[in-house]
Amino acid sequence: MNHVSTILRPLGMGELFDRAIRLYRRNFWRFVGVLAVMQIPVVGLNLVTNLLTYDATLDALPTPAEIAGESNPFALLGPDYYSGVFINLLVTVVYLVLVSGIASAALTRLAADAYLDTQAPSGSLLGAYAAIGDRWGALVRAIAVYILLILAGLIWTLIPCIGWFTGPGMMVVMAGMVLPLVAPVVVLENHGARESIRRSWELVRRRFWWVFGFMVLLYLFNWVVVGGPSLLTGFALGFVLPEQLASDNPELLNNIQVTVQAVVNMVFNLLYLPLQLSCLTLLYFDLRVRQEGLDLALAASTGTGFAKPIRDKVAESAPSPQGPLFQGREWTYFAALTGSILGLYLLVVFGLTFIILAASGL
């Protein structure tokens, strides 16, 4: 029995997280380095553009009194506002291509090869980028297709009754369960953009609630690791920075806050995103082991020089189904998620209202 067949087997949720953390710890500097090559320059570019355009964009916004007396409020925005929005949109596109596209593809390839211990060229930082070939382009196209699907989902949500009850849940599934698996599918298999999104959905739908629970835990961990330090940093800045600075030089105060927050977010994202992609890569393998017998297929493969045969075998997948995208029971899943979102919203609203009333003595 070869090494890969002992690695790939059905895992419980705790085992999956444990293996992902171990994989991340063993390859810490390589994983962080692959992401840092792209993320640090992009974050720096985003910070510079924010500092240069923030004040001009904010000053270009009309006052409520000006809006009230104008039939076309958009005419009041002016070129400074639109140029600021365009520049930030351009930086967002650069982030999608370089970080969400190229860096995520390279890191996924590196995580997969490290997990399967294929001794592939992607073991080095530059080798990880070389190993993805043109698959980063397919990943960027898949993200573009996904954005169009989200827009279609928003339109669906506006449809009375059926859209209201299923649209929000559908959006949660697409954004929180399907999209995260697109990178492993694109990089490790040979699908195009649209086929990769459908393939991701096919892997998710067969273990819907299990994958949902896994993603919830992963996003809670993300909130603790990345969101927590960001909130604490913003809170701490209010005590560290002198109060007089807000009145004497509000522009300098804003620049300091934006810069510190950007640096803190970048550092913790550099620490967390490789772990997240490691978890998603292992989740991808686990779903294929359970649903397609990938472990048995690899155990049956023979030959020497395992790196190429393993990659080729992993790249093979079941043909894309031609049936309906959503089946009857899945509409009930979307409705259940929509109801849960509404219930959580009402719980938060009523809870905050009760706390405010109790604090005021009413």
Side-chain angles (χ1 to χ4, degrees), residues 133-158:
D134 61 352
R135 298 311 295 164
W136 69 268
L139 182 54
V140 172
R141 291 192 296 273
I143 294 173
V145 173
Y146 163 79
I147 293 174
L148 295 177
L149 290 176
I150 288 296
L151 293 176
L154 289 173
I155 295 173
W156 174 264
T157 304
L158 299 176

Side-chain angles (χ1 to χ4, degrees), residues 59 86 107 113 302 329 335-336:
D59 292 340
F86 175 77
L107 188 51
D113 288 340
T302 58
R329 63 178 181 178

Side-chain angles (χ1 to χ4, degrees), residues 13 17 175-181 204 209-221 272 276 279-280 283 287:
M13 196 174 294
F17 276 113
M177 297 171 63
V178 176
L179 179 64
L181 281 176
V204 165
W209 292 113
W210 191 94
V211 175
F212 175 77
F214 181 87
M215 293 299 184
V216 168
L217 291 177
L218 194 59
Y219 287 121
L220 287 175
F221 191 42
Y272 172 74
Q276 175 178 290
C279 290
L280 294 174
L283 173 63
L287 292 175

Side-chain angles (χ1 to χ4, degrees), residues 185 189 191 194-206 291-292 317-327 329-330:
V185 169
E189 301 182 19
H191 294 295
R194 289 180 298 176
E195 294 81 3
S196 296
I197 294 176
R198 178 64 186 263
R199 169 72 169 155
S200 300
W201 168 236
E202 292 300 324
L203 290 174
V204 165
R205 73 195 309 178
R206 300 175 193 175
Q291 299 173 16
E292 301 172 358
S317 61
S320 300
Q322 303 300 318
L325 183 61
F326 302 129
Q327 299 176 358
R329 63 178 181 178
E330 288 154 2

Side-chain angles (χ1 to χ4, degrees), residues 118-351:
T118 61
Q119 303 299 319
S122 68
S124 65
L125 190 151
L126 296 179
Y129 282 97
I132 61 175
D134 61 352
R135 298 311 295 164
W136 69 268
L139 182 54
V140 172
R141 291 192 296 273
I143 294 173
V145 173
Y146 163 79
I147 293 174
L148 295 177
L149 290 176
I150 288 296
L151 293 176
L154 289 173
I155 295 173
W156 174 264
T157 304
L158 299 176
I159 298 176
C161 295
I162 185 172
W164 295 345
F165 286 110
T166 61
M170 186 187 301
M171 301 286 284
V172 169
V173 171
M174 291 300 297
M177 297 171 63
V178 176
L179 179 64
L181 281 176
V182 169
V185 169
V186 169
V187 175
L188 303 179
E189 301 182 19
N190 296 318
H191 294 295
R194 289 180 298 176
E195 294 81 3
S196 296
I197 294 176
R198 178 64 186 263
R199 169 72 169 155
S200 300
W201 168 236
E202 292 300 324
L203 290 174
V204 165
R205 73 195 309 178
R206 300 175 193 175
R207 300 202 76 203
F208 185 89
W209 292 113
W210 191 94
V211 175
F212 175 77
F214 181 87
M215 293 299 184
V216 168
L217 291 177
L218 194 59
Y219 287 121
L220 287 175
F221 191 42
N222 177 25
W223 187 87
V224 171
V225 173
V226 180
S230 179
L231 290 175
L232 290 175
T233 300
F235 184 73
L237 285 175
F239 289 96
V240 174
L241 297 176
E243 295 182 4
Q244 190 175 358
L245 189 61
S247 56
D248 293 346
N249 198 337
E251 182 178 347
L252 176 61
L253 176 64
N254 175 74
N255 291 344
I256 294 174
Q257 291 175 331
V258 169
T259 302
V260 173
Q261 290 277 24
V263 172
V264 170
N265 286 339
M266 181 191 69
V267 169
F268 283 95
N269 270 304
L270 279 174
L271 295 175
Y272 172 74
L273 287 179
L275 176 59
Q276 175 178 290
L277 286 172
S278 299
C279 290
L280 294 174
T281 302
L282 269 60
L283 173 63
Y284 161 83
F285 281 124
D286 188 70
L287 292 175
R288 289 198 61 185
V289 165
R290 292 176 180 273
Q291 299 173 16
E292 301 172 358
L294 179 63
D295 54 335
L296 301 178
L298 291 178
S301 63
T302 58
T304 59
F306 284 109
K308 184 176 180 180
I310 288 176
R311 282 191 175 186
D312 291 345
K313 204 68 179 177
V314 170
E316 297 175 1
S317 61
S320 300
Q322 303 300 318
L325 183 61
F326 302 129
Q327 299 176 358
R329 63 178 181 178
E330 288 154 2
W331 291 106
T332 63
Y333 297 164
F334 301 151
L337 289 176
T338 300
S340 300
I341 294 171
L342 178 60
L344 182 61
Y345 171 78
L346 293 177
L347 181 62
V348 171
V349 170
F350 285 115

